[in-house]
Structure formats: structure tokens, C-alpha cells
Amino acid sequence: MKQLLLIVTLGVVLFAACKKDSDSAIPSTQSNFKFFNGVPGAVFGVKLDTVTVSSGVNYGEATAYKSMRAQSYNLTIINGNQQLALGQFFLRNGKNFTLFLGADTSGKLLTYVWAEDDLSAVPGDSARWRVVDLSDSYKTNNRSALPLDFRMDTTRVFRAVVFGGITKYANIFAPSNYTLNVNYVDSSKVMGSFPTGFLKGKSYTYVATGNANTTNFQVFQVQNN
């Protein structure tokens, strides 16, 4: 992979802005941390402060949750001999977080989405899912950003998701199998189709990577629980 030159935080940082008083009132607290590598051709590790919590994570892979003390950490990603600091992140008591790492089309500029994962009970015969868009796609006529629509079979669930974006969760009938279709925004043009399935009571994140206009476009399913 080409040398990484710069960190660009296009992603959305969710639920990590500040420390809550209710967390600090409890002497011993725990949080869970997961890492997903959405950078094609790259292998990464992650450190929280000086502790390496994952290493050798290949493209398209997610780690298991790592239980950590709920507090503020300096988060660093490791690529070979490079160590790239992303900044300070707070793991809140009793919560679950995932760092989704991606890159732009050139493969030189990194981006990330830091998100809280909802692992609460899902009602009835259903599962829940959301989308993280790490696909740096553009319109071929003017190279402006290309938002993407995400459909389960023919039903559009998420409209106009952009690079660095994350959706809310949506519920879906489960257990069942579907085809996730990614469309050009407000169009019947399909950029990619991915057979998928859901287990009852589970939570999922679908991570789009690469460029939807090329063959390296991929969508990965990450099961949160």
C-alpha cells in the first residue's frame, strides 16, 4: 500500500464528545471496543494509550470486542512502522464502540467513523442494521461526491448516504435472507448487489468501501453482537 500521508476525519463521531458525571461516580467501569479495517490492501493495528488492543487486522475484517476501563484514551492506528494518532476518544461506562477506518480513492488519505453500537434487545421477529459509508465514490460526469441509496431487495431503506456518513439503525424481519442493493442516488442504477442474511435479535453494520464506480467496490457485513 502507498505511504499514508494524512488523516482526514470525514466520519461522524457519535456519543464520544464528553465524559458523563454518572460514569465518573462509579469506581470501576467497563466499556467495549471493536475495530474494523476498511482500507483496501492495508493491515492495521490499534493502540489505546500504550496498550495494543488489536494487531494484524486485514482489509474487510473486524476484531472482537475488547473490554477496557471506561475512560478517555489516546487512540493510535499502526500501519507497519507507522503510528498515526487519531486523537482522544472516550469509552463510556457500559457502552460498546467501533472505530471504522477507511480511505479515499487515492489510498493516501484516511478517514474514520467512531460510533456507538446498539446491542439492546430487538423486538419481535427482527434484527437491526445500519450503514457506514467508507466508499469514496464520485459522479463520473463532474467528479462531485456520489451519494448512495441502500435497498434490501427492492425496498430503499437509506437514501443519499455520503462518504464518511453513518445512518441510524433500521429494523428488518429476521431470520431471513435478502440482497443488499446499492444504487446511484434516486436512480434504478445498481452499483453493487450483495447477498446477505439476518439472524433474529442481532445488530449489524454494513460497511461500504472502495469506489462504487469500479470493481473494487465492496460492502462488508459486521455483526455487532
Side-chain angles (χ1 to χ4, degrees):
M1 178 182 175
K2 297 180 180 179
Q3 185 179 14
L4 303 172
L5 301 180
L6 182 65
I7 300 295
V8 181
T9 58
L10 297 179
V12 178
V13 179
L14 299 180
F15 306 106
C18 62
K19 182 176 182 179
K20 289 192 171 182
D21 292 339
S22 61
D23 291 332
S24 61
I26 303 173
S28 180
T29 61
Q30 295 293 317
S31 181
N32 293 313
F33 170 78
K34 180 193 289 280
F35 170 67
F36 175 83
N37 177 14
V39 182
V43 179
F44 283 98
V46 178
K47 288 200 307 184
L48 295 177
D49 288 346
T50 59
V51 178
T52 300
V53 295
S54 62
S55 60
V57 183
N58 293 306
Y59 170 54
E61 292 183 349
T63 66
Y65 282 112
K66 173 73 173 180
S67 181
M68 302 289 294
R69 182 178 175 86
Q71 64 182 51
S72 178
Y73 292 93
N74 292 309
L75 196 155
T76 302
I77 58 171
I78 306 165
N79 176 235
N81 294 323
Q82 289 185 299
Q83 296 194 22
L84 307 172
L86 292 189
Q88 193 172 71
F89 296 80
F90 190 76
L91 297 180
R92 289 171 49 211
N93 180 35
K95 302 298 183 179
N96 306 280
F97 297 92
T98 300
L99 173 72
F100 299 93
L101 185 69
D104 74 338
T105 301
S106 72
K108 296 180 179 180
L109 304 180
L110 295 181
T111 187
Y112 67 84
V113 172
W114 171 262
E116 182 178 329
D117 305 328
D118 185 356
L119 306 187
S120 63
V122 186
D125 295 327
S126 61
R128 68 166 62 92
W129 69 292
R130 65 182 175 185
V131 167
V132 168
D133 188 359
L134 298 179
S135 169
D136 185 20
S137 304
Y138 50 84
K139 298 178 181 178
T140 55
N141 58 340
N142 59 14
R143 296 189 69 83
S144 62
L146 171 60
L148 299 171
D149 290 347
F150 290 81
R151 302 170 183 258
M152 279 298 171
D153 292 339
T154 59
T155 301
R156 182 169 68 182
V157 182
F158 301 115
R159 178 187 177 275
V161 187
V162 297
F163 179 51
I166 181 173
T167 70
K168 296 180 179 180
Y169 282 98
N171 286 359
I172 190 168
F173 177 79
S176 191
N177 295 320
Y178 299 87
T179 297
L180 174 64
N181 291 303
V182 185
N183 286 50
Y184 196 101
V185 62
D186 295 333
S187 170
S188 60
K189 182 179 180 181
V190 178
M191 311 302 289
S193 294
F194 306 91
T196 190
F198 295 89
L199 299 176
K200 179 181 175 180
K202 300 299 183 180
S203 294
Y204 300 86
T205 302
Y206 287 82
V207 189
T209 67
N211 183 341
N213 294 297
T214 68
T215 57
N216 77 343
F217 181 58
Q218 292 289 329
V219 177
F220 296 95
Q221 183 197 66
V222 179
Q223 185 172 315
N224 300 130
N225 60 349

